[in-house]
Short mmCIF file of all heavy atoms in Angstrom, two decimals:
data_model
loop_
_atom_site.label_atom_id
_atom_site.label_comp_id
_atom_site.label_asym_id
_atom_site.label_seq_id
_atom_site.Cartn_x
_atom_site.Cartn_y
_atom_site.Cartn_z
N LEU K 1 125.21 -32.14 -76.49
CA LEU K 1 123.78 -31.86 -76.33
C LEU K 1 123.48 -31.35 -74.91
O LEU K 1 122.74 -30.37 -74.74
CB LEU K 1 122.97 -33.13 -76.60
CG LEU K 1 122.90 -33.61 -78.05
CD1 LEU K 1 122.19 -34.94 -78.14
CD2 LEU K 1 122.22 -32.58 -78.94
N VAL K 2 124.07 -32.00 -73.92
CA VAL K 2 123.88 -31.55 -72.54
C VAL K 2 124.50 -30.18 -72.33
O VAL K 2 123.90 -29.28 -71.72
CB VAL K 2 124.48 -32.58 -71.56
CG1 VAL K 2 124.36 -32.07 -70.12
CG2 VAL K 2 123.81 -33.93 -71.71
N PHE K 3 125.70 -30.00 -72.85
CA PHE K 3 126.40 -28.72 -72.72
C PHE K 3 125.62 -27.59 -73.40
O PHE K 3 125.55 -26.47 -72.87
CB PHE K 3 127.80 -28.84 -73.32
CG PHE K 3 128.58 -27.56 -73.31
CD1 PHE K 3 129.17 -27.10 -72.14
CD2 PHE K 3 128.74 -26.82 -74.47
CE1 PHE K 3 129.90 -25.91 -72.13
CE2 PHE K 3 129.46 -25.64 -74.47
CZ PHE K 3 130.04 -25.19 -73.29
N GLY K 4 125.04 -27.88 -74.56
CA GLY K 4 124.27 -26.85 -75.27
C GLY K 4 123.09 -26.36 -74.47
O GLY K 4 122.81 -25.16 -74.41
N PHE K 5 122.37 -27.28 -73.81
CA PHE K 5 121.22 -26.90 -72.98
C PHE K 5 121.68 -26.06 -71.79
O PHE K 5 121.08 -25.03 -71.49
CB PHE K 5 120.50 -28.15 -72.50
CG PHE K 5 119.26 -27.87 -71.71
CD1 PHE K 5 118.05 -27.66 -72.35
CD2 PHE K 5 119.30 -27.79 -70.32
CE1 PHE K 5 116.90 -27.39 -71.62
CE2 PHE K 5 118.15 -27.52 -69.59
CZ PHE K 5 116.94 -27.31 -70.24
N LEU K 6 122.76 -26.49 -71.12
CA LEU K 6 123.22 -25.78 -69.93
C LEU K 6 123.80 -24.41 -70.28
O LEU K 6 123.53 -23.42 -69.59
CB LEU K 6 124.28 -26.63 -69.21
CG LEU K 6 123.79 -27.97 -68.64
CD1 LEU K 6 124.96 -28.72 -68.02
CD2 LEU K 6 122.68 -27.76 -67.63
N LEU K 7 124.59 -24.33 -71.35
CA LEU K 7 125.19 -23.05 -71.72
C LEU K 7 124.13 -22.04 -72.13
O LEU K 7 124.21 -20.86 -71.78
CB LEU K 7 126.20 -23.26 -72.86
CG LEU K 7 126.92 -22.00 -73.34
CD1 LEU K 7 127.74 -21.38 -72.22
CD2 LEU K 7 127.80 -22.29 -74.55
N THR K 8 123.13 -22.50 -72.87
CA THR K 8 122.04 -21.60 -73.26
C THR K 8 121.30 -21.08 -72.03
O THR K 8 120.93 -19.91 -71.98
CB THR K 8 121.05 -22.34 -74.18
OG1 THR K 8 121.75 -22.91 -75.28
CG2 THR K 8 120.00 -21.38 -74.70
N THR K 9 121.12 -21.93 -71.04
CA THR K 9 120.45 -21.53 -69.79
C THR K 9 121.21 -20.41 -69.10
O THR K 9 120.59 -19.50 -68.52
CB THR K 9 120.34 -22.74 -68.85
OG1 THR K 9 119.64 -23.80 -69.51
CG2 THR K 9 119.59 -22.36 -67.58
N VAL K 10 122.53 -20.44 -69.18
CA VAL K 10 123.35 -19.40 -68.55
C VAL K 10 123.35 -18.12 -69.39
O VAL K 10 123.10 -17.02 -68.87
CB VAL K 10 124.79 -19.90 -68.34
CG1 VAL K 10 125.68 -18.77 -67.82
CG2 VAL K 10 124.82 -21.08 -67.38
N LEU K 11 123.59 -18.23 -70.68
CA LEU K 11 123.73 -17.05 -71.53
C LEU K 11 122.44 -16.26 -71.65
O LEU K 11 122.47 -15.02 -71.78
CB LEU K 11 124.21 -17.48 -72.93
CG LEU K 11 125.61 -18.10 -73.02
CD1 LEU K 11 125.92 -18.49 -74.45
CD2 LEU K 11 126.68 -17.14 -72.50
N MET K 12 121.29 -16.92 -71.63
CA MET K 12 120.01 -16.23 -71.82
C MET K 12 119.67 -15.28 -70.67
O MET K 12 118.75 -14.46 -70.80
CB MET K 12 118.88 -17.27 -71.96
CG MET K 12 118.70 -18.13 -70.74
SD MET K 12 117.36 -19.35 -70.91
CE MET K 12 115.94 -18.30 -70.61
N ARG K 13 120.41 -15.34 -69.59
CA ARG K 13 120.14 -14.49 -68.43
C ARG K 13 120.78 -13.10 -68.55
O ARG K 13 120.50 -12.22 -67.73
CB ARG K 13 120.66 -15.17 -67.15
CG ARG K 13 120.02 -16.53 -66.90
CD ARG K 13 120.62 -17.21 -65.70
NE ARG K 13 120.07 -18.55 -65.50
CZ ARG K 13 118.94 -18.83 -64.88
NH1 ARG K 13 118.24 -17.85 -64.35
NH2 ARG K 13 118.51 -20.08 -64.76
N PHE K 14 121.63 -12.89 -69.55
CA PHE K 14 122.37 -11.63 -69.65
C PHE K 14 121.93 -10.85 -70.90
O PHE K 14 122.02 -11.37 -72.02
CB PHE K 14 123.88 -11.90 -69.73
CG PHE K 14 124.41 -12.65 -68.53
CD1 PHE K 14 124.58 -14.03 -68.56
CD2 PHE K 14 124.74 -11.96 -67.36
CE1 PHE K 14 125.07 -14.71 -67.47
CE2 PHE K 14 125.23 -12.64 -66.26
CZ PHE K 14 125.39 -14.02 -66.31
N ASP K 15 121.47 -9.63 -70.70
CA ASP K 15 121.06 -8.78 -71.82
C ASP K 15 122.22 -8.49 -72.76
O ASP K 15 122.02 -8.31 -73.96
CB ASP K 15 120.47 -7.47 -71.30
CG ASP K 15 119.07 -7.65 -70.74
OD1 ASP K 15 118.50 -8.74 -70.94
OD2 ASP K 15 118.55 -6.72 -70.11
N TYR K 16 123.41 -8.42 -72.22
CA TYR K 16 124.58 -8.15 -73.06
C TYR K 16 124.76 -9.25 -74.11
O TYR K 16 125.29 -9.00 -75.19
CB TYR K 16 125.84 -8.06 -72.18
CG TYR K 16 127.11 -7.80 -72.94
CD1 TYR K 16 127.30 -6.63 -73.66
CD2 TYR K 16 128.14 -8.74 -72.94
CE1 TYR K 16 128.48 -6.40 -74.36
CE2 TYR K 16 129.31 -8.51 -73.63
CZ TYR K 16 129.49 -7.34 -74.33
OH TYR K 16 130.66 -7.12 -75.02
N MET K 17 124.31 -10.45 -73.79
CA MET K 17 124.43 -11.57 -74.71
C MET K 17 123.23 -11.67 -75.65
O MET K 17 123.37 -12.05 -76.81
CB MET K 17 124.56 -12.89 -73.93
CG MET K 17 125.92 -13.09 -73.30
SD MET K 17 127.15 -13.48 -74.57
CE MET K 17 128.67 -13.30 -73.63
N THR K 18 122.06 -11.34 -75.18
CA THR K 18 120.84 -11.61 -75.94
C THR K 18 120.35 -10.43 -76.78
O THR K 18 119.62 -10.65 -77.76
CB THR K 18 119.72 -12.04 -74.98
OG1 THR K 18 119.49 -10.99 -74.03
CG2 THR K 18 120.10 -13.31 -74.24
N CYS K 19 120.71 -9.21 -76.42
CA CYS K 19 120.18 -8.04 -77.14
C CYS K 19 120.91 -7.81 -78.46
O CYS K 19 122.13 -7.92 -78.53
CB CYS K 19 120.33 -6.78 -76.28
SG CYS K 19 119.22 -6.75 -74.86
N PRO K 20 120.17 -7.48 -79.53
CA PRO K 20 120.82 -7.07 -80.77
C PRO K 20 121.65 -5.81 -80.54
O PRO K 20 121.34 -5.00 -79.67
CB PRO K 20 119.64 -6.78 -81.70
CG PRO K 20 118.49 -7.55 -81.12
CD PRO K 20 118.71 -7.54 -79.64
N VAL K 21 122.70 -5.67 -81.33
CA VAL K 21 123.63 -4.56 -81.14
C VAL K 21 122.98 -3.25 -81.57
O VAL K 21 122.50 -3.12 -82.70
CB VAL K 21 124.93 -4.79 -81.94
CG1 VAL K 21 125.85 -3.58 -81.82
CG2 VAL K 21 125.63 -6.05 -81.44
N GLN K 22 122.96 -2.29 -80.66
CA GLN K 22 122.51 -0.93 -80.95
C GLN K 22 123.67 0.05 -80.92
O GLN K 22 123.70 1.02 -81.67
CB GLN K 22 121.44 -0.50 -79.93
CG GLN K 22 120.20 -1.38 -79.93
CD GLN K 22 119.43 -1.31 -81.22
OE1 GLN K 22 119.40 -0.25 -81.86
NE2 GLN K 22 118.79 -2.41 -81.60
N ASP K 23 124.62 -0.21 -80.04
CA ASP K 23 125.80 0.64 -79.89
C ASP K 23 127.04 -0.24 -79.98
O ASP K 23 127.29 -1.06 -79.10
CB ASP K 23 125.76 1.37 -78.55
CG ASP K 23 126.98 2.27 -78.33
OD1 ASP K 23 127.75 2.48 -79.30
OD2 ASP K 23 127.18 2.73 -77.19
N LEU K 24 127.81 -0.08 -81.05
CA LEU K 24 129.00 -0.92 -81.24
C LEU K 24 130.03 -0.72 -80.14
O LEU K 24 130.85 -1.60 -79.88
CB LEU K 24 129.64 -0.63 -82.60
CG LEU K 24 128.92 -1.20 -83.83
CD1 LEU K 24 129.57 -0.68 -85.11
CD2 LEU K 24 128.93 -2.71 -83.80
N GLY K 25 130.01 0.43 -79.49
CA GLY K 25 130.99 0.71 -78.44
C GLY K 25 130.62 0.15 -77.08
O GLY K 25 131.40 0.25 -76.14
N ALA K 26 129.43 -0.43 -76.96
CA ALA K 26 128.99 -0.98 -75.67
C ALA K 26 129.83 -2.18 -75.28
O ALA K 26 130.31 -2.93 -76.14
CB ALA K 26 127.52 -1.36 -75.73
N SER K 27 130.01 -2.38 -73.98
CA SER K 27 130.79 -3.50 -73.45
C SER K 27 129.97 -4.23 -72.40
O SER K 27 128.81 -3.89 -72.13
CB SER K 27 132.11 -3.01 -72.85
OG SER K 27 131.87 -2.25 -71.67
N ALA K 28 130.59 -5.22 -71.76
CA ALA K 28 129.90 -6.00 -70.73
C ALA K 28 129.56 -5.13 -69.52
O ALA K 28 128.67 -5.49 -68.74
CB ALA K 28 130.76 -7.18 -70.31
N TRP K 29 130.23 -4.01 -69.37
CA TRP K 29 130.00 -3.13 -68.23
C TRP K 29 129.03 -2.01 -68.56
O TRP K 29 128.72 -1.18 -67.72
CB TRP K 29 131.32 -2.55 -67.74
CG TRP K 29 132.23 -3.63 -67.23
CD1 TRP K 29 132.25 -4.17 -65.97
CD2 TRP K 29 133.24 -4.31 -67.97
NE1 TRP K 29 133.22 -5.15 -65.90
CE2 TRP K 29 133.84 -5.26 -67.11
CE3 TRP K 29 133.70 -4.24 -69.29
CZ2 TRP K 29 134.86 -6.10 -67.51
CZ3 TRP K 29 134.72 -5.08 -69.71
CH2 TRP K 29 135.29 -6.00 -68.82
N SER K 30 128.56 -1.98 -69.79
CA SER K 30 127.56 -0.98 -70.18
C SER K 30 126.17 -1.45 -69.75
O SER K 30 125.94 -2.64 -69.54
CB SER K 30 127.59 -0.77 -71.70
OG SER K 30 128.89 -0.38 -72.13
N ASN K 31 125.27 -0.51 -69.65
CA ASN K 31 123.91 -0.84 -69.25
C ASN K 31 123.09 -1.24 -70.48
O ASN K 31 122.23 -0.51 -70.96
CB ASN K 31 123.27 0.35 -68.54
CG ASN K 31 121.91 -0.01 -67.96
OD1 ASN K 31 121.62 -1.17 -67.70
ND2 ASN K 31 121.08 1.00 -67.78
N VAL K 32 123.39 -2.43 -71.00
CA VAL K 32 122.74 -2.91 -72.21
C VAL K 32 121.38 -3.50 -71.87
O VAL K 32 121.25 -4.31 -70.96
CB VAL K 32 123.61 -3.98 -72.91
CG1 VAL K 32 122.89 -4.54 -74.13
CG2 VAL K 32 124.95 -3.37 -73.32
N SER K 33 120.36 -3.08 -72.59
CA SER K 33 119.02 -3.63 -72.43
C SER K 33 118.27 -3.49 -73.75
O SER K 33 118.65 -2.67 -74.59
CB SER K 33 118.25 -2.91 -71.31
OG SER K 33 118.09 -1.53 -71.63
N CYS K 34 117.23 -4.27 -73.90
CA CYS K 34 116.44 -4.21 -75.14
C CYS K 34 114.98 -4.51 -74.84
O CYS K 34 114.67 -5.47 -74.15
CB CYS K 34 116.99 -5.19 -76.19
SG CYS K 34 117.22 -6.88 -75.58
N GLU K 35 114.11 -3.67 -75.35
CA GLU K 35 112.67 -3.86 -75.20
C GLU K 35 112.01 -3.57 -76.55
O GLU K 35 112.26 -2.52 -77.16
CB GLU K 35 112.11 -2.93 -74.13
CG GLU K 35 112.55 -3.27 -72.72
CD GLU K 35 112.04 -4.61 -72.23
OE1 GLU K 35 111.04 -5.11 -72.83
OE2 GLU K 35 112.62 -5.16 -71.29
N PRO K 36 111.13 -4.43 -77.06
CA PRO K 36 110.78 -5.72 -76.43
C PRO K 36 111.87 -6.75 -76.69
O PRO K 36 112.53 -6.72 -77.73
CB PRO K 36 109.48 -6.09 -77.14
CG PRO K 36 109.63 -5.49 -78.50
CD PRO K 36 110.38 -4.19 -78.31
N LYS K 37 112.01 -7.65 -75.77
CA LYS K 37 113.00 -8.72 -75.90
C LYS K 37 112.38 -9.88 -76.66
O LYS K 37 111.19 -10.16 -76.56
CB LYS K 37 113.45 -9.17 -74.51
CG LYS K 37 114.74 -9.96 -74.49
CD LYS K 37 115.19 -10.20 -73.05
CE LYS K 37 116.51 -10.92 -73.02
NZ LYS K 37 116.99 -11.15 -71.63
N ASN K 38 113.21 -10.58 -77.43
CA ASN K 38 112.73 -11.72 -78.19
C ASN K 38 112.07 -12.73 -77.25
O ASN K 38 112.67 -13.14 -76.25
CB ASN K 38 113.90 -12.37 -78.93
CG ASN K 38 113.42 -13.32 -80.02
OD1 ASN K 38 112.55 -14.15 -79.80
ND2 ASN K 38 114.02 -13.21 -81.19
#
């Protein structure tokens, strides 16, 4: 439970993690962004 709260806090800061996939070829080094964001 503690780990779930902390891990979510970290992952939610990165668009690469939170944005729905638009380009299957995109990677962590791509300029991934999404608007509007959930």
Side-chain angles (χ1 to χ4, degrees):
L1 289 174
V2 177
F3 176 77
F5 184 86
L6 296 177
L7 181 62
T8 306
T9 303
V10 174
L11 295 179
M12 62 180 281
R13 301 176 184 276
F14 301 97
D15 285 350
Y16 179 64
M17 285 287 168
T18 59
C19 290
V21 176
Q22 299 295 327
D23 179 11
L24 285 173
S27 68
W29 296 275
S30 303
N31 187 23
V32 176
S33 62
C34 50
E35 291 295 340
K37 197 173 183 179
N38 195 313

